[in-house]
């Protein structure tokens, strides 16, 4: 029915092949990430980077069987632990000579107040800082393999977020819904500042792009920390995208030919979408960048 078609939203129509190219998708053992990996595995080599290796292997073997592509590889990556992120990057760079697309897809949502191994608030730590560090560690390889793309999965929830520099880790006040929104706003601001910095480097044509996206409201495991949301999700599942429908904009940002030199943008349903005023605040983006570097103990100029 037309209502269902409306819910499904835009589809990625690109038939671009990725022969000889390498893609990393974080959190690709389930949900949108898994569907993104499934589609891209029909085009080229995919690395599933996830915390749960058993789930990752199950997803990978299903995708290999379905696509006939044996180049679907699982590597361990726990975004809640910078040691794991550094180990992943080190191993990846030693084993793989190429990297053309990095999809920062993994995320947590509605967690009770908790901290990562490094003491960061869980949403900010996994959704923003973990991917910030991962991108930093893989950036040179992406540059060497340019044209290349960085795709950050954000959310419409960024509209409800603000970067609370005075209480980044939610120690003074904490709401798990808002913590998620704040981290999704951080994704948008990171994308914006990253694109600005990369543009300056390449001058003419943008050879390494960074874009963010809203996948849509998707029926997935992301709400597992909230009984109420899990229950609501079940009731309203007809009005939610399937993971496959939710993956379309990630796939679009990763392969669509018309985005070859588009950077610093935000997409939804495979088309440009409205970014909240806070998500367009360059001063906040710059400050978040330097605070993130400080927290992670890195220098990224």
């Amino acid at each position: 029915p037309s209502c269902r078609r409306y819910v499904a939203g835009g589809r990625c129509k690109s038939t671009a092949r990725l022969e000889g190219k390498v893609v990393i998708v974080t959190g690709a053992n389930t949900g949108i990430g898994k569907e993104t990996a499934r589609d891209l595995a029909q085009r080229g080599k995919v690395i599933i980077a996830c915390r749960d290796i058993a789930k990752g292997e199950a997803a990978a073997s299903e995708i290999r069987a379905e696509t006939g592509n044996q180049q679907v590889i699982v590597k361990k990556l726990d975004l809640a632990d910078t040691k794991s992120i550094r180990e992943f990057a080190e191993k990846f760079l030693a084993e793989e000579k190429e990297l053309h697309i990095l999809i920062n897809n993994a995320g947590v949502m509605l967690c009770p107040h908790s901290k990562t191994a490094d003491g960061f608030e869980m949403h900010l730590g996994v959704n923003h800082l973990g991917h910030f560090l991962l991108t930093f560690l893989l950036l040179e390889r992406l540059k060497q393999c340019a044209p290349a793309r960085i795709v950050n999965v954000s959310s419409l929830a960024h509209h409800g977020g603000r970067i609370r520099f005075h209480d980044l880790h939610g120690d003074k006040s904490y709401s798990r819904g808002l913590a998620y929104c704040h981290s999704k706003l951080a994704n948008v601001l990171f994308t914006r500042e990253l694109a600005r910095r990369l543009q300056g480097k390449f001058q003419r044509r943008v050879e390494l792009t960074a874009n963010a996206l809203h996948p849509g409201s998707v029926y997935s495991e992301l709400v597992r920390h909230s009984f109420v949301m899990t229950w609501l999700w079940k009731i309203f599942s007809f009005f939610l995208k399937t993971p496959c429908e939710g993956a379309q904009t990630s796939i679009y940002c990763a392969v669509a030919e018309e985005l070859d030199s588009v950077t610093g943008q935000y997409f939804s349903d495979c088309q440009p979408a409205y970014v909240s005023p806070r998500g367009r605040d360059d001063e906040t983006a710059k400050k978040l960048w330097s605070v993130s570097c400080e927290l992670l103990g890195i220098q990224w100029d």
Side-chain angles (χ1 to χ4, degrees):
S2 56
C3 166
R4 188 70 205 105
R5 265 205 307 278
Y6 175 75
V7 170
R11 286 199 81 78
C12 175
K13 299 186 177 73
S14 167
T15 54
R17 305 291 306 154
L18 298 172
E19 269 100 10
K21 298 202 167 177
V22 178
V23 183
I24 291 177
V25 187
T26 67
N29 56 330
T30 178
I32 303 170
K34 182 177 169 184
E35 295 307 320
T36 304
R38 190 194 305 272
D39 178 287
L40 297 176
Q42 292 165 6
R43 306 167 191 258
K45 180 171 183 172
V46 176
I47 291 175
I48 290 177
C50 62
R51 192 182 54 202
D52 188 329
I53 290 289
K55 272 190 183 170
E57 282 299 349
S61 63
E62 182 188 311
I63 292 170
R64 283 186 216 116
E66 194 182 304
T67 60
N69 180 3
Q70 295 311 303
Q71 297 283 69
V72 180
I73 296 161
V74 181
K75 291 185 192 287
K76 185 169 173 62
L77 169 66
D78 182 354
L79 287 156
D81 183 353
T82 58
K83 193 165 153 282
S84 169
I85 299 168
R86 289 179 179 280
E87 278 167 9
F88 168 86
E90 204 174 304
K91 254 180 118 164
F92 173 84
L93 294 171
E95 290 165 9
E96 302 285 341
K97 293 294 159 260
E98 310 270 318
L99 177 58
H100 302 87
I101 302 168
L102 170 62
I103 303 181
N104 290 319
N105 162 85
V108 293
M109 180 180 180
L110 304 173
C111 307
H113 190 237
S114 52
K115 299 281 173 79
T116 67
D118 303 85
F120 309 140
E121 186 276 314
M122 192 60 74
H123 294 89
L124 188 81
V126 171
N127 300 355
H128 167 62
L129 292 167
H131 281 128
F132 187 95
L133 178 60
L134 180 66
T135 306
F136 167 74
L137 296 170
L138 298 176
L139 197 72
E140 280 313 308
R141 184 58 49 88
L142 282 158
K143 282 182 185 168
Q144 288 159 10
C145 298
R149 299 183 186 191
I150 296 162
V151 178
N152 295 325
V153 179
S154 176
S155 164
L156 186 67
H158 84 269
H159 286 276
R162 54 172 62 214
I163 306 298
R164 301 166 68 247
F165 289 109
H166 64 287
D167 187 21
L168 271 181
H169 304 295
D171 295 322
K172 297 190 179 104
S173 73
Y174 182 77
S175 144
R176 46 191 185 169
L178 286 175
Y180 177 70
C181 296
H182 302 332
S183 72
K184 294 287 112 179
L185 174 60
N187 293 155
V188 172
L189 290 167
F190 166 47
T191 305
R192 190 177 177 89
E193 180 62 10
L194 177 61
R196 189 187 71 77
R197 288 163 173 259
L198 292 172
Q199 246 170 322
K201 298 273 192 297
F202 287 106
Q203 297 312 335
R204 299 183 310 284
R205 257 178 64 57
V206 190
E207 289 285 287
L208 176 52
T209 64
N211 290 299
L213 67 106
H214 166 54
S217 300
V218 179
Y219 193 66
S220 75
E221 290 177 20
L222 199 55
V223 293
R224 64 183 174 272
H225 291 291
S226 162
F227 172 73
V228 176
M229 285 292 279
T230 304
W231 185 70
L232 283 170
W233 244 225
K234 279 200 168 66
I235 294 174
F236 293 108
S237 62
F238 180 79
F239 298 103
L240 297 169
K241 292 185 177 190
T242 63
C244 177
E245 290 159 356
Q248 295 302 311
T249 308
S250 298
I251 299 161
Y252 174 76
C253 289
V255 301
E257 297 85 346
E258 64 267 32
L259 300 187
D260 271 349
S261 50
V262 172
T263 191
Q265 301 302 306
Y266 170 76
F267 294 86
S268 174
D269 278 329
C270 301
Q271 54 190 17
Y274 179 74
V275 177
S276 76
R278 287 202 187 102
R280 298 194 300 267
D281 185 332
D282 290 329
E283 286 318 299
T284 307
K286 289 189 178 88
K287 185 173 176 188
L288 177 64
W289 185 282
S290 64
V291 168
S292 301
C293 286
E294 235 166 88
L295 287 169
L296 292 163
I298 57 176
Q299 282 209 292
W300 187 354
D301 303 318

